[in-house]
Amino acid sequence: QTVVTQEPSFSVSPGGTVTLTCGLSSGSVSSNYYPSWYQQTPGQAPRTLIYSTNTRSSGVPDRFSGSILGNKAALTITGAQADDESDYYCVLYMGSGLWVFGGGTKLTVL
Amino acid sequence: EVQLVESGGGLVQPGGSLRLSCAASEFTFDNYWMTWVRQAPGKGLEWVANIKQDGSEKYYVDSVKGRFTISRDNAKNSLYLQMNSLRAEDTAVYFCARTYSSSWYFFDYWGQGTLVTVSS
């Protein structure tokens, strides 16, 4: 069974930079998995941030960026703001119509 | 503005059935794959099922295969999820999402979700 891994939690100072990662329990994440990233605050629907590894969704500020770092997909937030405090999820397209979400990272800005 | 509005959630006993709906508007519905994603209380997002534009392809997470059926009515701009043999672990908020599933693969618009509670 494929497991997509994310850090359960992360902390960043206001104005700081943080990189969240999205890996596979076995194997490497590449752009062929079309990694995408979503931000969610409690009680709200997810918001699309990044798709196809590094393309920002419409209206997403450029302090959010996506990449492949080593064998993982990565979401980097540069100049973190208080309202970036959210849960962040990656999802990988596994092919044949199947998708797998990571467990999510709870980001604290303090 | 693209809108997706889920409905049909509620309280159901284990073993029972429920049909969720997702009403789509402000975009050409039959141009897009559509997806159901769920989130158990206090847990992360889980992909549940998706369906091709014409309904000819459907895919499910293993845990719901044989119990859930995704469908769509393009004339009504609506997506459905028929859920049978419900279990306590199916308790979750169910979101529908517009889906790109060629060239790019991602979910670009989400509904606000509908809560399904399976309990006696």
Side-chain angles (χ1 to χ4, degrees):
Chain A
Q1 182 178 344
T2 300
V3 176
V4 176
T5 61
Q6 294 186 248
E7 299 86 359
S9 62
F10 230 117
S11 183
V12 63
S13 299
T17 296
V18 64
T19 296
L20 312 181
T21 67
C22 174
L24 279 170
S25 53
S26 60
S28 299
V29 176
S30 70
S31 58
N32 292 332
Y33 287 94
Y34 301 90
S36 53
W37 291 89
Y38 304 84
Q39 178 191 50
Q40 188 186 34
T41 52
Q44 298 297 313
R47 170 198 181 197
T48 307
L49 295 177
I50 300 286
Y51 63 93
S52 291
T53 304
N54 56 13
T55 304
R56 269 186 300 278
S57 188
S58 177
V60 174
D62 60 7
R63 54 199 183 78
F64 291 91
S65 62
S67 63
I68 298 292
L69 287 181
N71 62 350
K72 296 182 179 182
L75 172 71
T76 299
I77 306 172
T78 305
Q81 300 180 0
D83 61 3
D84 294 335
E85 187 161 294
S86 301
D87 295 325
Y88 291 85
Y89 295 93
C90 70
V91 66
L92 303 180
Y93 179 66
M94 310 307 292
S96 302
L98 305 178
W99 304 70
V100 181
F101 278 92
T105 297
K106 183 178 182 61
L107 181 68
T108 302
V109 180
L110 52 72
Chain B
E1 176 76 15
V2 169
Q3 284 204 13
L4 297 168
V5 180
E6 301 92 339
S7 61
L11 175 64
V12 61
Q13 292 188 341
S17 298
L18 213 53
R19 188 195 196 205
L20 305 184
S21 300
C22 170
S25 59
E26 304 303 324
F27 69 98
T28 305
F29 184 68
D30 57 8
N31 280 357
Y32 292 87
W33 283 72
M34 294 295 295
T35 296
W36 287 100
V37 173
R38 68 183 178 184
Q39 186 170 37
K43 302 296 185 182
L45 300 173
E46 180 183 34
W47 171 77
V48 174
N50 58 13
I51 185 169
K52 194 176 180 179
Q53 290 93 328
D54 61 359
S56 62
E57 294 182 37
K58 305 174 185 182
Y59 301 95
Y60 301 90
V61 68
D62 284 348
S63 59
V64 309
K65 280 181 185 175
R67 300 188 299 122
F68 289 12
T69 302
I70 189 172
S71 63
R72 63 193 295 161
D73 185 336
N74 288 340
K76 295 183 178 179
N77 291 339
S78 292
L79 173 72
Y80 306 102
L81 187 66
Q82 177 67 44
M83 305 185 296
N84 299 331
S85 303
L86 282 161
R87 306 167 180 166
E89 54 265 36
D90 296 316
T91 294
V93 174
Y94 285 73
F95 298 98
C96 64
R98 194 175 81 166
T99 304
Y100 277 88
S101 202
S102 65
S103 300
W104 307 294
Y105 292 83
F106 71 107
F107 314 116
D108 66 341
Y109 284 94
W110 299 71
Q112 286 300 308
T114 186
L115 176 62
V116 172
T117 303
V118 184
S119 175
S120 54

